[in-house]
Amino acid sequence: NAGVTQTPKFRVLKTGQSMTLLCAQDMNHEYMYWYRQDPGMGLRLIHYSVGEGTTAKGEVPDGYNVSRLKKQNFLLGLESAAPSQTSVYFCASKSSGANVLTFGAGSRLTVL
Amino acid sequence: QQQVKQSPQSLIVQKGGISIINCAYENTAFDYFPWYQQFPGKGPALLIAIRPDVSEKKEGRFTISFNKSAKQFSLHIMDSQPGDSATYFCAASMETSGSRLTFGEGTQLTVNP
């Protein structure tokens, strides 16, 4: 049982480039989330989804887009990367009847 | 605007000592208060959680104390061990918000042998 898998684990981008982070979960969870973690700021919610085909904005959505075309996958896109988006990104999921979030191992993104 | 404030930012404790991390929240609609533990290179994992209808919850060496009137809650780690060295995050959520967690800033705990 893999849980929550994030790809890639590391990526370096130049300012203005685009990329997509993939999150896949095999637990049949309805809810999925993307957080970013920055030193001294905890984890901040970027976007989330309460089910296949639905997405919603979190605390810090600007500069990011998401899609949930399949229940098991939640994609986070950066259309034009900026140095301020240098961060560690975490995907998480949970079932609709529970409160416990299962997190992936993170994706470290550096924007030069 | 940080709705959940956590302190201290870092904490060094000797093996066998008590580690105490504090959090304060602003939104009285929060109804679920978990603590997550994160080891380097890993994602956070749920450690213990409490709802506001109880003032304390204990699981092994870990205890959450909750003060609803003060809008504060804290994590106590008794008999701290080097293996407890990690980053700890408090969080809060509302049932009606899709269980979106609002996290505190995190506390880096180091337990010296």
Side-chain angles (χ1 to χ4, degrees), chain A residues 74-86:
Chain A
F74 195 28
L75 278 65
L76 178 70
L78 286 72
E79 289 187 349
S80 180
S84 61
Q85 294 177 304
T86 293

Side-chain angles (χ1 to χ4, degrees), chain B residues 40-96:
Chain B
K42 305 290 186 183
L46 179 68
L47 182 64
I48 187 172
I50 197 168
R51 291 201 178 272
D53 52 345
V54 296
S55 61
E56 185 174 284
K57 183 173 182 180
K58 183 176 181 179
E59 290 183 2
R61 297 184 293 108
F62 300 91
T63 299
I64 299 179
S65 297
F66 187 83
N67 186 330
K68 189 173 182 178
S69 61
K71 294 189 287 185
Q72 295 175 347
F73 58 111
S74 60
L75 176 69
H76 296 236
I77 305 174
M78 310 299 289
D79 187 26
S80 299
Q81 299 297 312
D84 297 330
S85 297
T87 300
Y88 293 81
F89 294 96
C90 62
S93 70
M94 292 179 284
E95 195 79 32
T96 55

